[in-house]
Amino acid sequence: MTEHHTHTHDDHTHEHEHDHGHDHGHDHGHTHDHTHTHVHLNERKTRWVVFLTFATMIVEILFGFYTNSMALLADGWHMSTHAFALGLAWLAYYLSRKYSNHNAFSFSGAKLLALSGYTSAIVLVIIAVWMAVEAVNRLLNPLPIKFEEAIFVASIGLLVNAASALLLHHDKSHSDHNIRAAYLHVLADGLTSVTAIIALAGGMIWNLYSLDAYSGIISSLIITKWSFDLIRNSGRDLIDFSKK
């Protein structure tokens, strides 16, 4: 009678340990699948934003030259480098998904995403410097601007940026440096579109061509600040920096 009781107790313990191990493995697998799903979703969102940004960039650059608007031209060139940087973000997600479980590669998806974010931030700094230099040149050598056409195209750019920001919006728990960098690029584009519209409207009303150039300078300063924040955060992950 005692032996039967002991055997039953052991079986119960074994089943409990087995169930606990199974549940733990299931939870771990569920967490992994959940994370993988969000990374794949971020990849698809980024791809759509690349297409939207590239199309808008072409329109803004062409009309920037046509209207002689520094604000619109800066926004267009700004978008062109963003299309490149967002393309890098998309490529990072693609490579991370394709090679993360590949036997031939020792691969860290998190490192690649941080590297892409770091690279994007450096590109942003270069854009900001170019914008500031070109804006100062326009202050010294103003050109006549076709205000109405420039405002119309800048407004289209702002709508595209708003749509892209909604696509890339993410919870902090599901974010990485890559999606954060892409989101920052879109916000930076939105900022230049807003300042361009304000400057162009003011220039048209008061006949002040200098407002067009000042919008480029203001945008460059704010974008530089955002870029250095991203460089610091993604760089910390790249070198595994942590406080002791």
Side-chain angles (χ1 to χ4, degrees):
M1 184 71 179
T2 307
E3 287 179 3
H4 176 71
H5 177 75
T6 305
H7 180 69
T8 303
H9 177 74
D10 289 343
D11 286 348
H12 177 72
T13 303
H14 176 73
E15 287 173 7
H16 176 74
E17 288 174 352
H18 177 75
D19 289 344
H20 178 74
H22 177 74
D23 290 343
H24 179 74
H26 177 74
D27 289 345
H28 178 75
H30 178 72
T31 303
H32 176 75
D33 291 342
H34 189 63
T35 303
H36 179 76
T37 299
H38 280 286
V39 169
H40 187 58
L41 182 62
N42 287 345
E43 179 189 345
R44 284 194 290 118
K45 285 179 176 180
T46 306
R47 183 176 66 230
W48 274 107
V49 171
V50 170
F51 293 149
L52 280 171
T53 304
F54 186 78
T56 310
M57 152 206 114
I58 293 173
V59 173
E60 288 201 336
I61 289 174
L62 290 175
F63 273 84
F65 283 115
Y66 171 70
T67 61
N68 285 328
S69 169
M70 173 58 212
L72 187 58
L73 192 60
D75 197 22
W77 282 116
H78 188 219
M79 269 195 163
S80 73
T81 45
H82 280 193
F84 169 74
L86 289 165
L88 279 180
W90 178 20
L91 181 64
Y93 280 125
Y94 172 76
L95 292 175
S96 179
R97 175 171 53 85
K98 187 172 183 180
Y99 295 114
S100 58
N101 296 318
H102 203 288
N103 293 330
F105 297 93
S106 176
F107 189 84
S108 171
K111 289 283 187 187
L112 181 61
L113 297 182
L115 179 61
S116 176
Y118 188 85
T119 306
S120 296
I122 291 173
V123 171
L124 266 174
V125 172
I126 295 169
I127 298 164
V129 171
W130 176 83
M131 284 173 62
V133 171
E134 188 62 24
V136 170
N137 182 50
R138 286 296 179 93
L139 274 175
L140 299 174
N141 305 290
L143 293 171
I145 299 168
K146 296 179 177 71
F147 287 110
E148 290 181 1
E149 293 95 327
I151 291 170
F152 177 73
V153 175
S155 299
I156 292 174
L158 182 59
L159 289 175
V160 170
N161 286 321
S164 298
L166 286 173
L167 270 173
L168 292 175
H169 185 69
H170 55 280
D171 296 329
K172 285 189 176 180
S173 59
H174 301 138
S175 71
D176 54 56
H177 288 302
N178 209 36
I179 194 71
R180 210 170 297 130
Y183 192 57
L184 268 181
H185 276 290
V186 169
L187 289 180
D189 272 334
L191 172 69
T192 53
S193 293
V194 169
T195 55
I197 292 167
I198 293 171
L200 288 166
M204 183 172 66
I205 294 168
W206 295 300
N207 200 31
L208 288 173
Y209 293 124
S210 59
L211 289 178
D212 183 66
Y214 282 127
S215 73
I217 295 172
I218 293 169
S219 296
S220 69
L221 292 173
I222 297 174
I223 291 166
T224 299
K225 196 271 178 187
W226 284 353
S227 300
F228 279 113
D229 286 345
L230 183 58
I231 286 171
R232 185 175 64 251
N233 292 331
S234 56
R236 189 176 289 133
D237 277 11
L238 279 174
I239 61 174
D240 294 324
F241 177 81
S242 59
K243 291 182 179 179
K244 289 186 178 181

